[in-house]
Amino acid sequence: MKSFVFPEFQIIRDEEKCGQCRGCERQCSFGTHTYDPLTDRLISDDYKCAGCQRCVIFCPKDAIVVRPTQSFYRPNASWSREKIEDLKKQAETGGVILTGCGNDKPFRIYWDHIVLNASQVTNPSIDPLREPMELRTFLGAKPDLMDIDFKGGDVEIKTKISPHLMVETPILFSAMSYGAISYNAFKSLATASKQFGTLFNTGEGGLPRELRAEFGGNAIVQVASGRYGIDAEYLNCAAAVEIKVGQGAKPGIGGHLPGEKVSQSVAETRMIPVGTDAISPAPHHDIYSIEDLSMLIHALKEATNYEKPVSVKIAAVHNVAAIASGIVRAGADIIAIDGLRGGTGAAPKAIRDNVGIPIELAISALDMRLKNEGIRNRCSIVAAGGLRSSSDIIKAIALGADAVYIGTAALIAMGCTLCQKCNTGKCNWGLCTQDPRLSGRLNTEIATKRLTNLLNAWSHEIMEMLGGMGINAIESLRGNRDHLRGIGLYEWELEVLGIKGAGQ
Amino acid sequence: METVEIDATGISTEDLNERLMALMLDGTEKFVLKNVCGQRYIGTRLYSKNGNKPRVDIDITGTPGSDLGAFMSGHRVRVHGNVQDGVGNTMDDGEIVVEGRAGDVLGMSMRGGKIFIRDNTGYRTALHMKEYLDKKPVLVIGGTTQDFLGEYMAGGIVILLGLGELPHNQTFIGTGMHGGVIYIRGKVDKLQVAGQVDISEPGVEDRKLLDKFVGEFIESFPDLGLNKEEILKGDFIKLAPKSKRPYAKMYA
């Protein structure tokens, strides 16, 4: 069937500059560029281009420009080009449209409507270059009361304290499984978290055995509905265990790692036969209620001898605050919430673009609900989904998060250009692929450096902003909405965020 | 072999499992638990981080609570009585024998080991059971199950012997099944079985498996006086997935 879909991108090659080195041909896994020996020219097929910009950046002569195609349909506010083309693709295939990365639709980004405070005259700001600033964060359940004993001038804590995670900055790497991302990308995240003193999350694809001794202490291992790669050793080698209930990019649905991506090594890590589909059912079929969730939380605490905090990750949906209250009461030490703009290696586009709520509103609703119920101390909140900068992170903490997960941001640090073709497994940047030729392009040392650089830069910016507000510990900012003001928001939005309007 | 007997009356789940763990690390190899009443996760905690893999026997009288043997790695459990939900959840290795019936989600995501249930079991039995290399879980049920048997099943062997009075009237058998095999002794209508599943008669290799595991089942319950030849003479059907990739053609 002849496809009626336009190419998404237009490749413009400056023939004057092009040296026919065929670098672009080698770089592109989608087969966009081919060399024609008859004319001694490179020919580009716009239809194959993913718009990932790999060839542009790696062209030694800067001869290539890739830009959105100039062809257009008659402008129509209702029938946008995207709507028309998605429909055509489905008419041609009869299938569900898959995509990668996070929701790219123009829903309001609340970070961009919130401004931060700074000290002027009445209380001095703090210079982080001169004064100690504390970003160290502890994640886990805090006791309701602390019972202490004085013995000969010494203080002894009598209350039994739940296990906690300690991170040097409130920024953790979000769950990205080996299988979805490449081994090199996975290992770079692990190495960077170890070097910086933070944590990475294995996702549900298991933790390769050879990485356990070295990186287990920095790993949050996931238990998702597919239960891949889980045994006592996996659970016990980690810093914490996370039950994945939902993901911001695809709340309410499961996942399929297609058989093509289940290589020998992925199969070993997930403990499934090579080449079979790895299906994660939509729900955990042993969790149909809060009571069932409580049972799995405690099963995991038992399996890890009550030595590790258990986190529960959910997608931010309409009743997120009430659900989270149930999760805290079920015994979770940490709640991870993933917002509307959270990323994915593959999700149906209809779901990625339409299901869930923005993380900003979810954090605030959750924090306020737990405070009102008097149980906020019983869990830490880790927010995920659409955090793009240090200022987003500091706002998330002021709205009530204890720490954040970054996924998309970490991928961008390693080279991702958000081309949204993760689901094809042909990532030219070596990130979202199991093709050894492609994943080999990602140098783990350089990628690790890029990640620690990012953590370093953002942590420093957070310190600067904290100091400006006259605060010297990130703890003192948590849920401290007085330092936030809204701009251009409706009354109900200010109410959900729990903040005043600017000037108020 | 050192045996420790514990009267579980009034002991909480956490305390009971903590005692088992401490005793196991001290070298106890056999536990006899009396008056167990609802204590959960028995066997779950019994893992040694120092690399050696202790294997213990646990003999239970009473009714253990849910998630018996969840995530369990290699122990042997015998229950003189019924068990609740989630038995053998994500179990890695070991053996559980139940002289009675089991609740829902029995053997969910189990990847290794064996479970023998004397009577019937609840809903979602063997859901997403898996296998990997030499790890091939086996679940033999003397009676029958409720709906959603072998849903999303990806590996392992399930055998329903139908020895009780209940007929096999469960529905949605093998929905989303993409690996493993289910053998059912007795009659099952095509309408009870999901479209992804191929129904056939067991072949020579299948008969060998049946012979082996029905034999083990009978040995597990010597008091029943079951006759292997008699059981194997019955009509068996074999359910296996039509494809390892049931959802391969879903996307644009």
Side-chain angles (χ1 to χ4, degrees):
Chain A
M1 196 188 302
K2 160 88 181 145
S3 173
F4 297 161
V5 180
F6 280 156
E8 278 185 274
F9 295 93
Q10 197 169 20
I11 300 153
I12 299 155
R13 181 185 302 274
D14 188 332
E15 297 293 349
E16 294 279 299
K17 287 184 180 172
C18 178
Q20 289 85 36
C21 72
R22 300 177 68 175
C24 50
E25 188 186 18
R26 285 190 296 279
Q27 289 296 335
C28 186
S29 62
F30 296 94
T32 306
H33 309 286
T34 42
Y35 177 68
D36 178 16
L38 286 178
T39 56
D40 187 30
R41 283 177 55 180
L42 278 132
I43 298 164
S44 302
D45 181 351
D46 291 354
Y47 281 93
K48 290 182 177 160
C49 178
C52 79
Q53 308 292 345
R54 178 86 187 180
C55 59
V56 176
I57 289 166
F58 280 80
C59 175
K61 306 272 178 144
D62 290 330
I64 308 173
V65 174
V66 174
R67 63 181 190 194
T69 184
Q70 300 300 293
S71 310
F72 59 86
Y73 301 95
R74 174 183 285 273
N76 184 322
S78 173
W79 286 97
S80 65
R81 177 179 162 160
E82 187 184 350
K83 287 266 186 288
I84 293 175
E85 299 210 328
D86 284 353
L87 187 152
K88 285 186 178 187
K89 276 181 212 159
Q90 296 192 285
E92 286 163 16
T93 62
V96 170
I97 293 187
L98 274 188
T99 186
C101 304
N103 188 325
D104 60 2
K105 296 296 171 284
F107 291 105
R108 175 167 282 178
I109 295 170
Y110 288 91
W111 307 128
D112 299 338
H113 291 264
I114 297 174
V115 288
L116 294 163
N117 195 27
S119 300
Q120 298 293 294
V121 185
T122 53
N123 61 330
S125 46
I126 303 169
D127 182 354
L129 296 177
R130 212 164 55 100
E131 311 273 349
M133 295 296 262
E134 190 67 91
L135 293 193
R136 183 176 285 180
T137 300
F138 293 88
L139 303 172
K142 315 289 186 287
D144 293 339
L145 291 166
M146 185 89 105
D147 212 1
I148 51 173
D149 228 5
F150 291 100
K151 268 187 195 158
D154 249 1
V155 180
E156 196 179 295
I157 298 170
K158 280 168 70 185
T159 310
K160 197 178 166 195
I161 307 288
S162 310
H164 274 72
L165 298 172
M166 185 178 86
V167 285
E168 297 301 334
T169 189
I171 309 169
L172 288 66
F173 294 128
S174 200
M176 288 176 273
S177 66
Y178 172 43
I181 60 171
S182 66
Y183 189 87
N184 286 6
F186 190 86
K187 193 173 175 191
S188 302
L189 290 163
T191 314
S193 59
K194 184 172 172 129
Q195 281 181 11
F196 202 87
T198 185
L199 300 162
F200 74 105
N201 188 314
T202 63
E204 70 162 313
L207 179 57
R209 279 176 204 279
E210 70 278 10
L211 300 180
R212 290 183 184 179
E214 193 176 356
F215 301 110
N218 294 86
I220 298 177
V221 294
Q222 254 189 3
V223 171
S225 65
R227 304 284 158 88
Y228 292 110
I230 297 170
D231 58 17
E233 190 198 319
Y234 167 78
L235 297 172
N236 279 286
C237 79
V241 181
E242 182 168 276
I243 300 170
K244 181 202 175 182
V245 174
Q247 184 178 341
K250 42 180 171 179
I253 67 163
H256 304 155
L257 184 70
E260 297 89 17
K261 290 193 191 175
V262 182
S263 63
Q264 182 64 40
S265 165
V266 168
E268 275 168 28
T269 308
R270 296 195 178 218
M271 295 200 242
I272 51 171
V274 176
T276 53
D277 278 5
I279 294 172
S280 296
H284 288 249
H285 281 285
D286 52 352
I287 308 178
Y288 285 1
S289 66
I290 290 289
E291 291 76 14
D292 287 351
L293 174 67
S294 181
M295 200 156 87
L296 184 60
I297 290 172
H298 287 93
L300 291 167
K301 288 187 177 185
E302 283 281 345
T304 54
N305 202 24
Y306 291 85
E307 288 166 10
K308 300 171 198 305
V310 173
S311 166
V312 175
K313 180 180 179 180
I314 55 167
V317 292
H318 299 179
N319 295 317
V320 65
I323 296 161
S325 165
I327 293 173
V328 177
R329 291 167 197 282
D333 302 290
I334 298 166
I335 293 184
I337 32 168
D338 194 8
L340 179 67
R341 287 183 295 272
T344 177
K349 197 162 174 231
I351 286 169
R352 186 199 72 174
D353 290 351
N354 295 286
V355 184
I357 66 169
I359 191 63
E360 302 91 319
L361 302 177
I363 299 169
S364 181
L366 177 52
D367 177 63
M368 281 200 270
R369 172 82 179 228
L370 298 184
K371 276 180 180 158
N372 289 341
E373 293 185 5
I375 55 172
R376 178 64 182 85
N377 61 301
R378 278 162 57 181
C379 80
S380 292
I381 298 173
V382 180
L387 292 129
R388 308 156 300 171
S389 61
S390 59
S391 59
D392 291 356
I393 293 170
I394 205 164
K395 289 169 191 173
I397 291 169
L399 284 172
D402 289 82
V404 301
Y405 270 139
I406 56 165
T408 302
L411 291 173
I412 293 173
M414 288 191 281
C416 170
T417 59
L418 296 182
C419 77
Q420 307 191 8
K421 291 288 187 288
C422 326
N423 55 300
T424 62
K426 292 183 178 175
C427 178
N428 278 318
W429 293 89
L431 297 164
C432 212
T433 177
Q434 298 308 319
D435 179 341
R437 191 177 68 89
L438 300 172
S439 56
R441 291 177 180 180
L442 191 76
N443 177 310
T444 49
E445 264 172 52
I446 296 171
T448 301
K449 188 70 193 155
R450 296 178 80 101
L451 289 166
T452 53
N453 278 345
L454 181 75
L455 291 174
N456 206 38
W458 281 7
S459 299
H460 194 76
E461 285 179 341
I462 291 171
M463 287 188 201
E464 291 279 356
M465 286 183 273
L466 271 183
M469 290 186 247
I471 294 174
N472 63 5
I474 195 85
E475 293 251 318
S476 312
L477 185 71
R478 188 170 311 130
N480 193 342
R481 293 174 174 77
D482 267 351
H483 284 287
L484 303 175
R485 290 291 186 275
I487 288 183
L489 297 176
Y490 289 110
E491 203 63 43
W492 73 264
E493 293 169 309
L494 292 170
E495 203 178 295
V496 174
L497 292 166
I499 62 175
K500 294 174 182 166
Q504 281 184 312
Chain B
M1 188 191 277
E2 197 194 343
T3 302
V4 172
E5 186 176 312
I6 297 173
D7 181 354
T9 310
I11 303 181
S12 73
T13 291
E14 209 179 320
D15 288 346
L16 177 64
N17 290 328
E18 196 167 325
R19 279 173 72 177
L20 297 182
M21 176 74 160
L23 288 163
M24 179 192 79
L25 294 178
D26 273 353
T28 304
E29 289 174 344
K30 188 166 167 59
F31 296 96
V32 177
L33 309 183
K34 301 278 187 197
N35 300 314
V36 172
C37 184
Q39 285 93 345
R40 293 175 171 178
Y41 324 116
I42 294 174
T44 299
R45 209 187 305 195
L46 303 180
Y47 167 77
S48 167
K49 272 189 287 189
N50 61 19
N52 61 349
K53 291 191 171 163
R55 296 275 184 268
V56 301
D57 279 8
I58 307 173
D59 189 272
I60 298 172
T61 311
T63 309
S66 295
D67 273 355
L68 169 72
F71 302 104
M72 191 168 79
S73 44
H75 309 292
R76 286 152 53 100
V77 180
R78 173 175 278 269
V79 182
H80 308 284
N82 298 327
V83 293
Q84 299 191 330
D85 299 338
V87 173
N89 189 346
T90 324
M91 177 169 142
D92 186 57
D93 195 11
E95 186 181 300
I96 299 175
V97 178
V98 177
E99 297 170 2
R101 70 176 298 282
D104 296 341
V105 283
L106 168 72
M108 183 186 124
S109 276
M110 179 183 172
R111 191 194 309 110
K114 290 172 187 169
I115 300 180
F116 299 116
I117 307 287
R118 191 190 70 191
D119 303 336
N120 302 313
T121 72
Y123 293 83
R124 291 171 267 149
T125 297
L127 190 145
H128 212 169
M129 191 189 248
K130 302 179 176 64
E131 67 184 52
Y132 174 61
L133 303 180
D134 56 334
K135 282 190 180 296
K136 199 164 198 170
V138 177
L139 172 56
V140 188
I141 294 161
T144 188
T145 74
Q146 296 287 353
D147 298 346
F148 306 106
L149 165 68
E151 195 178 12
Y152 297 110
M153 194 165 154
I157 300 165
V158 177
I159 303 172
L160 263 55
L161 294 178
L163 298 172
E165 288 169 7
L166 286 179
H168 301 296
N169 57 7
Q170 64 274 66
T171 50
F172 305 107
I173 300 170
T175 309
M177 186 177 182
H178 54 289
V181 60
I182 302 173
Y183 300 105
I184 299 179
R185 181 173 167 273
K187 282 198 165 53
V188 172
D189 193 273
K190 209 176 151 191
L191 290 172
Q192 292 170 253
V193 180
Q196 295 98 329
V197 179
D198 185 55
I199 307 173
S200 64
E201 271 191 34
V204 179
E205 291 303 311
D206 299 309
R207 284 281 170 191
K208 278 186 200 161
L209 285 177
L210 283 168
D211 188 272
K212 178 167 190 275
F213 295 120
V214 170
E216 289 185 19
F217 178 85
I218 290 171
E219 281 166 27
S220 300
F221 303 104
D223 298 351
L224 298 182
L226 295 170
N227 180 326
K228 187 158 103 176
E229 279 64 44
E230 201 64 32
I231 293 173
L232 288 174
K233 247 193 324 192
D235 286 339
F236 278 88
I237 56 161
K238 175 187 180 181
L239 306 179
K242 287 178 181 164
S243 160
K244 281 183 176 177
R245 309 278 316 272
Y247 302 114
K249 295 210 182 306
M250 229 173 77
Y251 303 108

